[in-house]
Amino acid sequence: MARRLRIGIDTGGTFTDVVALDIDGDGPSGTAEPVTTKTPSTPADPAEGFAAGLAKVLGLLGASPGDVAALAHGTTVATNRLLEDRIDDLGFVTTEGFEAMLEIARQSVPDGYGNSYFWVKPPRIVPAHRVRTVGGRLDHTGAELRPFDEESAVAAARALRDAGVRAVGVCLLHSYANPAHELAMREVLRREHPDAAVSLSCEVLREYREYERSVTTLVDAAVKPAMNGYLERIAGRVAAPLLVMKSNGGVLSAEEVARQPITTVLSGPAAGALGAAFVAARLAGGPGGRGSVVTLDGGGTSTDVAVVLDGEPTLTTEGEIGRHPVKIPMIDIVTVGAGGGSVARRSPDGALKVGPRSAGADPGPLCYGRGGTEVTVTDAHAVLGRIPPHLLGGEVPLDVPAARAGLSALAAGLGLTVERAAAGILEISAWNQANAIRRITVKRGLDVRDYPLVAFGGSGPLLACRLLDVLGLPAAVVPENPGNLSAFGLLTVDVKNEHVRTRVVRDTELDVPALAEVFADLEDEAGAALAREGFPQERRRLVRSADLRYYGQAFEVRVAAPAGTPDEAFRAEVVRRFHDAHDARYGYCHRDDPRHPVEWVNLRVSGIGPIPRPRPPERPPGDGDPSRARTGTRPVRFDDWVETAVYRREKLAPGDVVAGPAVIEEFGSTLPLHPGFTARLDGHGNLVVTR
């Protein structure tokens, strides 16, 4: 009998993670146990790792490509291209007189003006000789002051073509209010330079602030050729519909993503945050409150942290990828170079440093035996016995003597023993992760001690106990198959697209009928996009929001807007929510102060197409004796070397409690349980670690 499989594939820097779920398992949403696996990533061509992961999981299931009903994918292709600054053959077209927009930027210096003496201005995303201008001018309302100058547009297109430019970003002044001039420029480029990949700001980011809109559009154009080529290569591997994870916490078809590849710049980390949100929603109460957690996704190259509040990851439009500001809606994620492959080294001043550089998947840590020459965090874990002498159930044997030899050389230069050097590497890595968590919580007005930690990823649980000590967290939750949670998260999210329109006006001057008209236009756009994804009218969900600020402020606060026809009550409710949100975020508001009028800035509509979520069954309780899962002992160093019990996680049953010191191992990850900590398995298969 034919099967119907939903598969999630998340490509990371070191491993490609795969989860498959039989839709016809035991219920309409697929309640069968998920099948998980991993395969090494292939940085030279991520499509090869994707294909290997797909073939591997189909082999485990005895299935064929024709059994795949849907496939969701989280990718780092766009992210890595930006982080590595591989931006070539890119051109920029803007309004006449604004050719220096990228050079001027925001006239600000990172880390404050005290850094201005030392800061070196980085190269612009497009060098000055590849910037071209066209005549014509709109005002901020979209009214035409001067007509579009086709002669200068043709000259610009031909100049970029003759210069070998393969991707062009177009950002004309005030096109957020009226896209006519940008659309005309695209027609000229199609005629004069048909081989170029073109991105228009009115389609990528239809809101004001010319510099951010320009850079966001240019980033989209820069990654478009590579991303579209990659999507074409992987789409040919499977006949099923291909959905791609977006940075905003939704998925879209590969065809739609190809139009705006910038929406995938945090594709992989977003999937992990959504998977953690799914875990948080299933927690039966517990410390920190139902559905609100801090997430920690520890991979081989980096660690990503986020906050989930009431079951939803927090969003931002003020993100950066590398040195480029990207103003698209994305899950608020802080990334640090503190993964398992992070390199440990002695700095010129003699101190021990860890990260952000990583050994990656190739050659990887010393213990991988693939020609690595530098000590990594994984090597430190191996030498201290905190991970088994093999990974992925024996598929990746570890050369522990090679790791010890490398650590010995590093330790000698530091004047430390091998064990002290390894412990120091792990302590620095733990503090790097802790500081990232503080940035996402304390700096955003949240008390980190109120939230349990969901630790996942191949290396996420390894330092969980230490993070509880450093941050005072109430508990750490290690979900089932933590190394594959990002891939599982791909199966828990809906189709989602975002539509925005700038309309700057003081609240006292707001034209409510005009407001209703803009929301109606945005809802039409969102509905049309969902229709292209195959969602009928009755399955579409449209969610409104608005960005407001006090007059004179530089940045806005986003608040949810109610449904129904916008009227005076609608306006008053949105303003009330803004005051409340401003007070919650900044500790004050001007609710009854006419000296600080409220200003509306952006109107937004999210179009959501619901996808059935998996419902893994609850497990029956065991007899309370975890010894059935014990496989033996080995020497492990925490504060000192101690003969430590080793457990297989899949043999534990709900209600079992393991006391540290212990090591709990599974296919894709390991939890070293320090002395003084306990881990309890709950009914959903989560290990709940407390002190």
Side-chain angles (χ1 to χ4, degrees):
M1 185 177 69
R3 308 166 74 173
R4 292 201 307 143
L5 303 175
R6 286 179 62 196
I7 297 178
I9 301 181
D10 177 55
T11 301
T14 305
F15 288 104
T16 294
D17 305 331
V18 189
V19 172
L21 198 66
D22 192 340
I23 297 176
D24 298 323
D26 294 317
S29 298
T31 56
E33 289 287 341
V35 174
T36 64
T37 190
K38 285 175 174 278
T39 188
S41 294
T42 50
D45 183 3
E48 293 301 318
F50 175 95
L54 178 60
K56 187 175 181 181
V57 78
L58 291 177
L60 291 173
L61 289 163
S64 68
D67 294 326
V68 181
L71 195 153
H73 181 38
T75 174
T76 56
V77 169
T79 315
N80 291 342
R81 197 166 188 86
L82 296 174
L83 292 177
E84 296 167 14
D85 249 356
R86 288 184 290 146
I87 297 176
D88 304 311
D89 302 327
L90 181 62
F92 180 41
V93 176
T94 189
T95 300
E96 191 174 62
F98 288 81
E99 55 270 22
M101 184 189 305
L102 300 179
E103 296 296 330
I104 296 171
R106 282 294 170 198
Q107 300 187 4
S108 59
V109 175
D111 301 320
Y113 285 95
N115 190 39
S116 58
Y117 182 79
F118 305 97
W119 182 65
V120 177
K121 190 174 186 178
R124 303 294 92 180
I125 187 171
V126 176
H129 67 276
R130 286 190 172 172
V131 176
R132 293 292 181 271
T133 63
V134 297
R137 186 69 179 269
L138 304 172
D139 69 13
H140 70 284
T141 69
E144 188 174 77
L145 301 178
R146 291 197 300 274
F148 178 75
D149 182 1
E150 184 154 340
E151 183 178 346
S152 62
V154 168
R158 291 176 178 175
L160 294 174
R161 180 196 62 198
D162 295 343
V165 169
R166 297 187 302 162
V168 180
V170 180
C171 183
L172 304 181
L173 202 64
H174 301 308
S175 58
Y176 59 86
N178 180 354
H181 286 191
E182 285 193 357
L183 295 175
M185 186 66 219
R186 176 161 62 190
E187 292 306 312
V188 171
L189 285 165
R190 281 176 175 169
R191 188 173 66 246
E192 300 294 337
H193 192 4
D195 295 332
V198 178
S199 295
L200 305 182
S201 74
C202 64
E203 296 177 343
V204 174
L205 183 69
R206 197 166 172 179
E207 61 180 271
Y208 85 146
R209 291 196 173 101
E210 304 304 316
Y211 171 67
E212 287 80 4
R213 187 156 56 91
S214 296
V215 175
T216 303
T217 303
L218 288 165
V219 166
D220 184 75
V223 302
K224 190 169 281 185
M227 190 67 185
N228 289 357
Y230 172 71
L231 290 175
E232 288 176 6
R233 293 198 301 279
I234 65 172
R237 309 278 185 174
V238 61
L242 176 62
L243 300 173
V244 181
M245 186 74 202
K246 296 174 61 182
S247 307
N248 67 352
V251 291
L252 273 185
S253 65
E255 293 80 7
E256 288 292 312
V257 165
R259 299 179 185 181
Q260 291 187 31
I262 191 175
T263 58
T264 69
V265 292
L266 283 181
S267 176
L274 267 295
F278 183 84
V279 170
R282 290 166 58 85
L283 292 176
R290 183 179 179 87
S292 295
V293 297
V294 174
T295 76
L296 183 139
D297 181 0
T301 304
S302 62
T303 293
D304 306 307
V305 298
V307 175
V308 174
L309 297 178
D310 298 324
E312 295 290 338
T314 55
L315 296 175
T316 182
T317 56
E318 303 297 331
E320 292 186 356
I321 304 297
R323 59 185 178 87
H324 308 296
V326 178
K327 259 187 77 68
I328 61 169
M330 60 178 66
I331 291 177
D332 195 1
I333 293 172
V334 170
T335 300
V336 291
S342 295
V343 172
R345 67 196 186 282
R346 183 171 177 261
S347 69
D349 61 0
L352 177 62
K353 301 288 186 182
V354 181
R357 189 163 52 85
S358 172
D362 186 14
L366 288 169
C367 59
Y368 281 15
R370 297 176 183 163
T373 59
E374 297 177 295
V375 175
T376 68
V377 172
T378 297
D379 294 315
H381 282 295
V383 167
L384 296 181
R386 298 190 189 181
I387 58 176
H390 51 75
L391 300 178
L392 305 188
E395 293 181 22
V396 182
L398 299 184
D399 188 348
V400 179
R404 176 172 283 275
L407 261 166
S408 179
L410 178 64
L414 295 166
L416 300 173
T417 65
V418 171
E419 288 80 6
R420 289 290 300 279
I425 290 170
L426 300 187
E427 184 72 359
I428 293 171
S429 185
W431 278 92
N432 287 341
Q433 293 181 356
N435 288 334
I437 292 173
R438 286 195 174 107
R439 284 173 58 192
I440 204 76
T441 53
V442 177
K443 288 191 174 182
R444 286 157 172 76
L446 303 174
D447 189 338
V448 68
R449 297 168 297 181
D450 292 339
Y451 303 95
L453 176 75
V454 177
F456 59 98
S459 67
L462 290 171
L463 297 171
C465 291
R466 189 69 188 109
L467 290 172
L468 293 188
D469 273 343
V470 170
L471 295 170
L473 300 165
V477 178
V478 182
E480 192 172 18
N481 296 312
N484 291 73
L485 187 67
S486 291
F488 180 79
L490 291 165
L491 305 180
T492 70
V493 298
D494 299 322
V495 169
K496 186 177 182 181
N497 54 63
E498 305 276 353
H499 302 268
V500 60
R501 195 74 50 81
T502 291
R503 190 172 184 85
V504 181
V505 59
R506 293 198 195 187
D507 182 58
T508 54
E509 302 169 0
L510 183 67
D511 184 343
V512 175
L515 181 78
E517 185 178 334
V518 174
F519 270 124
D521 288 345
L522 292 172
E523 288 170 348
D524 287 344
E525 291 178 12
L530 290 174
R532 291 195 298 271
E533 297 288 320
F535 288 91
Q537 182 77 36
E538 64 274 11
R539 291 186 59 205
R540 302 173 196 165
R541 188 159 65 92
L542 304 179
V543 179
R544 299 169 177 168
S545 60
D547 300 345
L548 284 75
R549 65 188 179 192
Y550 293 116
Y551 179 73
Q553 287 183 328
F555 296 98
E556 302 81 44
V557 175
R558 183 184 300 186
V559 295
T565 303
D567 53 17
E568 185 58 30
F570 174 97
R571 181 206 62 77
E573 175 61 17
V574 173
V575 171
R576 184 193 67 77
R577 293 180 183 185
F578 163 70
H579 289 307
D580 291 345
H582 196 283
D583 190 43
R585 178 176 298 187
Y586 300 112
Y588 73 95
C589 68
H590 300 296
R591 194 183 307 273
D592 300 313
D593 190 344
R595 296 174 300 173
H596 299 280
V598 172
E599 191 170 50
W600 295 64
V601 179
N602 296 313
L603 307 178
R604 301 178 184 271
V605 169
S606 299
I608 300 171
I611 292 178
R613 284 166 167 73
R615 294 182 297 178
E618 287 197 39
R619 298 185 171 194
D623 56 12
D625 182 8
S627 62
R628 85 181 81 80
R630 184 164 168 165
T631 60
T633 64
R634 70 165 176 262
V636 179
R637 184 180 176 94
F638 294 105
D639 295 324
D640 294 296
W641 286 105
V642 59
E643 196 67 23
T644 301
V646 179
Y647 296 83
R648 289 301 303 177
R649 176 168 181 171
E650 60 270 21
K651 295 182 179 180
L652 293 172
D656 287 350
V657 177
V658 176
V663 176
I664 303 175
E665 299 176 353
E666 57 187 303
F667 175 78
S669 190
T670 301
L671 171 64
L673 198 61
H674 291 227
F677 288 84
T678 60
R680 175 182 58 84
L681 196 76
D682 69 11
H684 300 293
N686 302 307
L687 282 170
V688 181
V689 180
T690 53
R691 186 160 182 75

